[in-house]
């Protein structure tokens, strides 16, 4: 079974804090993704990684960075959290570019 | 990605088959039909995908019409846990990285 695990289901942080969201997959997938999902805006891609230490910006990378030091782990970093980053964050992974993406359960992040 | 049209909502009785339609009249020859669902407060879950032949897995069946302009996702014996928003997506296998969901169909399975 495909398993993508996000470290927290719910998280509350304060404005200006540095926030780390972790995602782990145990299926040896090459590609990993970070999305955010907001009502009325659907899924928006923040960053993706097609291999270890490789990353590319998605549609809305501003205010975020990522790290992929090991194949199984992809971290999303909010450098200085702001209230407009309150959202549901979804991590996904896939074997390669021709296979479906599989998602974690999401982290609902609130920035106060 | 080709545009898809789905009914906004559907009801289904528990234990009965749920048939969720999707229209994709502008689909091109190398575009696949994918289905995902999202249960409230969870991440999207991949269900099934296909090109032109009907497909079946442990979760569902996908029926694609011969002209490929529409498809139906079938959940053979719906349970209350199948209540979710179901998304039909049409895209090439190597279409790029971002997955885009449209409005989807909100399926309510009732006891």
């Amino acid at each position: 079974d495909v398993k993508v695990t996000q470290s927290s289901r719910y998280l509350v942080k304060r404005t200006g804090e540095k926030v780390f969201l972790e995602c782990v997959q145990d299926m040896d997938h090459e590609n990993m993704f970070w999305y955010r999902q907001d009502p009325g805006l659907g899924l928006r891609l923040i960053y993706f990684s097609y291999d270890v230490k490789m990353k590319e910006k998605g549609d809305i990378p501003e205010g975020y960075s990522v790290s992929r030091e090991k194949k199984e782990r992809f971290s999303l970093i909010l450098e200085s959290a702001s209230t407009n980053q309150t959202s549901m964050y979804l991590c996904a992974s896939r074997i390669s570019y021709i296979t479906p993406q599989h998602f974690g359960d999401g982290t609902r992040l609130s920035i106060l | 990605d080709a545009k898809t049209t789905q009914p906004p909502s559907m009801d289904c009785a528990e234990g009965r088959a749920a048939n969720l339609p999707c229209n994709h009249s502008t689909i091109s020859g190398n575009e696949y039909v994918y289905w995902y669902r999202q249960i409230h407060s969870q991440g999207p879950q991949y269900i099934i995908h296909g090109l032109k032949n009907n497909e079946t897995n442990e979760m569902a069946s996908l029926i694609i019409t011969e002209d490929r302009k529409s498809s139906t996702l079938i959940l053979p014996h719906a349970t209350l846990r199948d209540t979710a928003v179901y998304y039909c997506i049409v895209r090439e296998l190597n279409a790029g990285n971002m997955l885009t969901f449209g409005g989807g169909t909100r399926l309510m399975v009732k006891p």
Side-chain angles (χ1 to χ4, degrees):
Chain A
D1 243 12
V2 176
K3 187 70 177 171
V4 179
T5 304
Q6 294 185 229
S7 52
S8 305
R9 291 295 310 275
Y10 301 93
L11 205 54
V12 180
K13 296 290 183 181
R14 295 202 174 276
T15 305
E17 278 192 72
K18 191 168 186 175
V19 180
F20 294 84
L21 301 183
E22 304 288 341
C23 176
V24 176
Q25 50 89 8
D26 61 358
M27 299 153 293
D28 206 34
H29 285 182
E30 286 184 3
N31 304 163
M32 296 187 75
F33 306 81
W34 276 106
Y35 294 86
R36 61 179 284 178
Q37 187 176 32
D38 301 286
L41 297 176
L43 278 180
R44 291 182 291 169
L45 182 65
I46 305 171
Y47 267 97
F48 70 94
S49 167
Y50 47 91
D51 206 344
V52 177
K53 295 189 188 289
M54 308 295 249
K55 61 187 179 185
E56 284 197 25
K57 294 179 181 179
D59 285 350
I60 50 162
E62 297 78 21
Y64 303 95
S65 62
V66 290
S67 171
R68 193 165 180 206
E69 296 297 316
K70 294 185 178 181
K71 194 172 187 179
E72 66 270 20
R73 187 180 298 270
F74 192 34
S75 303
L76 179 70
I77 303 148
L78 285 67
E79 299 291 342
S80 177
S82 64
T83 54
N84 63 10
Q85 292 178 310
T86 290
S87 185
M88 167 76 111
Y89 288 87
L90 292 161
C91 175
S93 73
R94 67 183 180 190
I95 299 170
S96 71
Y97 70 96
I98 61 169
T99 57
Q101 295 182 31
H102 296 271
F103 288 81
D105 278 339
T107 296
R108 192 166 292 280
L109 175 65
S110 296
I111 306 295
L112 304 179
Chain B
D1 299 352
K3 182 176 169 55
T4 61
T5 305
Q6 298 176 254
S9 64
M10 289 180 64
D11 289 345
C12 177
E14 189 178 18
R16 306 295 292 267
N19 298 295
L20 294 101
C22 180
N23 285 323
H24 31 79
S25 58
T26 60
I27 191 170
S28 65
N30 54 354
E31 287 183 314
Y32 283 68
V33 180
Y34 290 80
W35 283 85
Y36 281 79
R37 73 180 182 184
Q38 190 166 20
I39 296 168
H40 182 62
S41 295
Q42 295 184 21
Q45 180 185 22
Y46 164 77
I47 302 173
I48 199 167
H49 73 286
L51 181 62
K52 51 185 175 183
N53 296 324
N54 298 338
E55 301 287 343
T56 296
N57 63 20
E58 65 279 1
M59 286 183 69
S61 294
L62 174 60
I63 309 298
I64 303 173
T65 58
E66 196 167 335
D67 63 7
R68 302 209 322 121
K69 292 185 177 181
S70 65
S71 60
T72 301
L73 179 75
I74 301 171
L75 308 178
H77 305 286
T79 70
L80 299 179
R81 285 177 294 191
D82 292 321
T83 292
V85 180
Y86 287 77
Y87 297 100
C88 169
I89 302 155
V90 173
R91 69 201 308 254
E92 294 180 18
L93 267 185
N94 59 348
N97 299 296
M98 189 169 83
L99 207 57
T100 305
F101 290 170
T105 296
R106 186 172 297 277
L107 175 69
M108 179 75 73
V109 180
K110 298 184 173 179

